[in-house]
Structure formats: C-alpha cells, structure tokens
Amino acid sequence: MDRTTLAGRETSRIGFGCGRLVGGAGTPASIRLIEQARAIGISHFDVAPSYGLGLAENVLGKVLAGDRDVTIATKIGIGRPTNPGMKALARQILRPLLTATPALRQKLASKAQRGAARNQYEQAQVESSFAESLRRLQRDRIDALLLHQPEAGDLTSTLRAVMDRLVAEGRAGAIGSSTAADRDSVIPLGSVHQYRWSPSPLPPCDTGVTSIAHGLLRRYPRPRANDTISMARMAEAGFDPKDPTAWPGLLLSLALATTPGGLVLISSSDPERLRASVTAIDWVAASGKRAGFVEGAIELLHRVQTKEPSAASLPPIDRTQYIHPSNSTMAVSSRDSEEA
Ligand SMILES: NC(=O)c1ccc[n+]([C@@H]2O[C@H](COP(=O)([O-])OP(=O)(O)OC[C@H]3O[C@@H](n4cnc5c(N)ncnc54)[C@H](OP(=O)(O)O)[C@@H]3O)[C@@H](O)[C@H]2O)c1
C-alpha cells in the first residue's frame, strides 16, 4: 500500500469511507469491516457525525481506541440524527427488505441525509459537534476536520476563526472542506479538500492542499460481460476482465493516478469485497508510472458510460495535462469533464 502525508502524519493512500458502518445489531459486521481495512494496510478513516445513522463514529472510536497508527477525518455541519439507537434498530428490522431492494435502500439513505440538520456552522454548533465527535471517537485530537458539504454563504470569518483555533489548540491536525460533488464545487478552506472523483482535467490543487477523492465505485458501474470492446480495453490496461475485482482495481488505480499525492476513499459493506478491491490495485499505474494507463482507462470509462458502439466512433481525445509531483506529466481526456 502506497503512503502519503495528511496533516503532517504518514498514512495510506487508500482510505476507508465509514458511510456504510452501522451500529446496533449491525455493530459486529461494522467491526469486521474496520478490522479488515486495518489488516490490508488501510490507515485512513473518513467519518462524520451523521454516518451510520449517527453511530459510525461510536463504532470507529471503539475499534480504533488503542490504535494510534491511523489518521481520521471527521466533519461538522450536518447534524447527527436524533435517537440514533432507535433508528439503528428500525434499520435492523428492515434489513432483509432493504437488502432485497437496493433502490429502496438508496432512497431511504438519501431521505435520511436530506432530513438531517444541515449548515450547522454557528460557533456553538461547531464547538459542540466537534467535542462530541472527539468523545465518540475516543480521541483528544483528529487529523482532519472538514466542513460537511457547506454552501457558499456558510464560510464566514467567524467560522474560519473557530476552525483555525481548533488547529492552534492542537485538537485538529488540519481543517478542510468536503463536497458530494466534483472538485470544482469545493468551498475552499484549509489544507484538505474532499470531493467526488471524476476524470475531469482540472489544474493541480494548490501546493499544500491534500486532495481526498471519493465515490468512484458508486459512480462507474462495471461494464457488461457482453461489451467485448470494453473487455478488450480492460485487458489492454492490464486487468483481467473476467475477474470481478478487476473493475474496482482499475478504477482505484486510475483515481490514485489522477489524484497525485492525495488519498482515495473506498467503501463497502463486505470485508472480502473490500480486500479484493484493494488487492486488485496496480500500484505502478496508481503512481502514474505506467505509460498510457491514464489515457486508456479514461477512454474506457467514457466508453462504458456512453455505451459508444465502437472505439472508432469516439471523438478525438482533447488532451490536457495532470501535473505529477515527480514533474512527469500524464495526458488525460477532457471530453469527460461534464458528466463522466
Ligand atoms: N461530503 C463528503 O465528504 C462525502 C460524500 C460522499 C462520500 N464520502 C465518503 O466517501 C466514502 C465512499 O463513498 P461511496 O460510498 O460513494 O463509495 P464508493 O467506494 O465509491 O462506492 C461504494 C459502492 O461500491 C460497491 N463496491 C465496493 N467494492 C466493490 C467491488 N469490489 N465490486 C463491486 N462493487 C463494490 C459497494 O457495494 P457493497 O457495499 O455491496 O460492497 C457500494 O455500493 C463514504 O463512505 C464517505 O466516507 C464523503
């Protein structure tokens, strides 16, 4: 597992997104996921007060209580649901139905997120949310504290001052901002910017900013087995198209290669799928050192998304450059910039 630095501490370039952790009767399964993540070399964990219907921080804090070799990012701004224990119980009862109908599960999760109290950025709200997060995570310091999907008007001078003070007091290693949308939607604050990964060719992040990308497995479905061109392209990129872990491996390798020096989050509710996805990463490609990998993989994503009938029908690639820390450059296609 390649490593990087977050808020002055070394950590893994793959982070585990704790959005799928659950509490209540689901706690043992969540514990297995965290333990699996540690076993495969993941040392960064992304969480928020609202995750796991309000119980993800509790579970993460419990499992990682004695583990100081990890970095943790949590957030402020979206409230924790009221009665998290009751909600976890209701979820447990509904689980068989939700498992059978992923669309319903997605709808309820979105509804829960929409129903949570948002834009909680008053000084007292920030202080109390962060203190509660530290308590649940069983720590006196968090590596990164991020604004949770703020809107433009939320970032006041008072909020900046409160966030800066948390760093000055040593309670947060760094502060930053997150969005569920693409990188150009980040409301910039501090030195950590978290956003949904996309193959859009954006200029490199400012020096001193650590990028954290999320959401790639959810956004880009695996190509169908009868899509012979995509299968051939996967093989060209060095991934066995018959292997179900090849697609997550390819996506993670590409996201790492186009987030130089940054982190990429992965989430799964299945410890074995988590292990298989991370094991399938091509670390040479992920470091940006496999010639042609980024261009080929982005073209493949475009093909899978648009279901272009053949490579010959694709428009010519408009190439721009990602700047890699080693000063090498990687060409990427800009045609995916709208909705890849
Ligand atoms: N505002 C923000 O900062 C923000 C917004 C969104 C997300 N995030 C963070 O980013 C994390 C990741 O986001 P995400 O949940 O969108 O995650 P993701 O890792 O892109 O997608 C997770 C999905 O991929 C599936 N998956 C995982 N491994 C797979 C495999 N080997 N084969 C097929 N499918 C696989 C999972 O299904 P299974 O569960 O069935 O394995 C799940 O449906 C979140 O947990 C959260 O920490 C932050």
Side-chain angles (χ1 to χ4, degrees):
M1 173 83 66
D2 277 3
R3 315 263 301 162
T4 188
T5 302
L6 177 69
R9 297 188 63 218
E10 205 186 283
T11 195
S12 57
R13 289 198 67 203
I14 294 289
F16 182 69
C18 298
R20 265 148 215 281
L21 295 186
V22 289
T27 303
S30 295
I31 292 173
R32 279 196 295 279
L33 274 169
I34 299 164
E35 288 175 346
Q36 175 73 293
R38 290 298 287 129
I40 59 177
I42 291 177
S43 62
H44 178 70
F45 293 83
D46 176 75
V47 70
S50 57
Y51 287 3
L53 296 174
L55 294 174
E57 286 185 329
N58 300 66
V59 179
L60 190 67
K62 186 176 166 189
V63 179
L64 298 182
D67 188 345
R68 298 288 137 176
D69 294 332
V70 293
T71 54
I72 298 178
T74 193
K75 310 187 186 78
I76 51 155
I78 297 183
R80 190 170 180 248
T82 45
N83 297 325
M86 287 304 291
K87 287 194 170 145
L89 183 63
R91 192 171 175 165
Q92 199 59 34
I93 293 164
L94 285 171
R95 185 181 297 278
L97 178 64
L98 299 181
T99 305
T101 50
L104 175 62
R105 184 174 60 188
Q106 188 65 41
K107 207 168 167 183
L108 288 179
S110 309
K111 195 158 180 245
Q113 181 80 354
R114 277 199 305 278
R118 302 179 72 94
N119 309 88
Q120 308 276 293
Y121 296 114
E122 297 292 330
Q123 179 167 349
Q125 292 169 328
V126 171
E127 297 276 8
S128 123
S129 173
F130 186 46
E132 283 298 300
S133 286
L134 288 174
R135 186 186 60 75
R136 287 190 290 269
L137 289 163
Q138 304 188 30
R139 279 171 147 71
D140 51 17
R141 178 187 185 277
I142 288 300
D143 298 281
L145 180 64
L146 311 180
L147 306 185
H148 200 172
Q149 298 173 201
E151 289 162 21
D154 291 328
L155 190 50
T156 61
S157 53
T158 309
L159 177 57
R160 281 181 192 275
V162 173
M163 297 291 278
D164 285 341
R165 183 165 49 71
L166 296 175
V167 176
E169 291 170 355
R171 293 200 286 158
I175 54 170
S177 184
S178 76
T179 175
D182 291 356
R183 196 183 104 188
D184 51 9
S185 298
V186 170
I187 309 263
L189 171 76
S191 60
V192 181
H193 293 176
Q194 183 161 298
Y195 51 85
R196 181 175 64 167
W197 180 80
S198 114
S200 313
L202 293 169
C205 273
D206 295 343
T207 319
V209 170
T210 300
S211 294
I212 304 181
H214 63 73
L216 48 144
L217 291 177
R218 186 195 292 276
R219 192 172 188 187
Y220 294 96
R222 188 180 168 204
R224 292 185 309 260
N226 64 0
D227 179 354
T228 49
I229 295 172
S230 294
M231 295 292 136
R233 290 286 169 83
M234 279 181 75
E236 276 163 31
F239 292 83
D240 176 2
K242 293 200 198 78
D243 177 354
T245 67
W247 186 247
L250 187 149
L251 284 180
L252 289 168
S253 306
L254 176 61
L256 288 161
T258 52
T259 313
L263 288 84
V264 171
L265 302 180
I266 178 175
S267 161
S268 176
S269 51
D270 182 298
E272 177 49 30
R273 243 190 326 269
L274 175 67
R275 187 201 63 73
S277 299
V278 172
T279 306
I281 294 172
D282 174 340
W283 286 102
V284 176
S287 70
K289 291 180 186 145
R290 191 175 295 296
F293 170 74
V294 169
E295 301 93 312
I298 286 178
E299 185 168 317
L300 172 60
L301 283 199
H302 178 71
R303 205 200 115 63
V304 169
Q305 284 260 307
T306 59
K307 300 184 177 49
E308 294 276 1
S310 80
S313 69
L314 295 179
I317 296 175
D318 172 16
R319 291 178 193 282
T320 49
Q321 305 290 312
Y322 275 109
I323 310 300
H324 198 255
S326 64
N327 287 334
S328 64
T329 55
M330 292 177 287
V332 296
S333 165
S334 68
R335 97 187 135 213
D336 305 281
S337 59
E338 282 180 17
E339 183 54 58

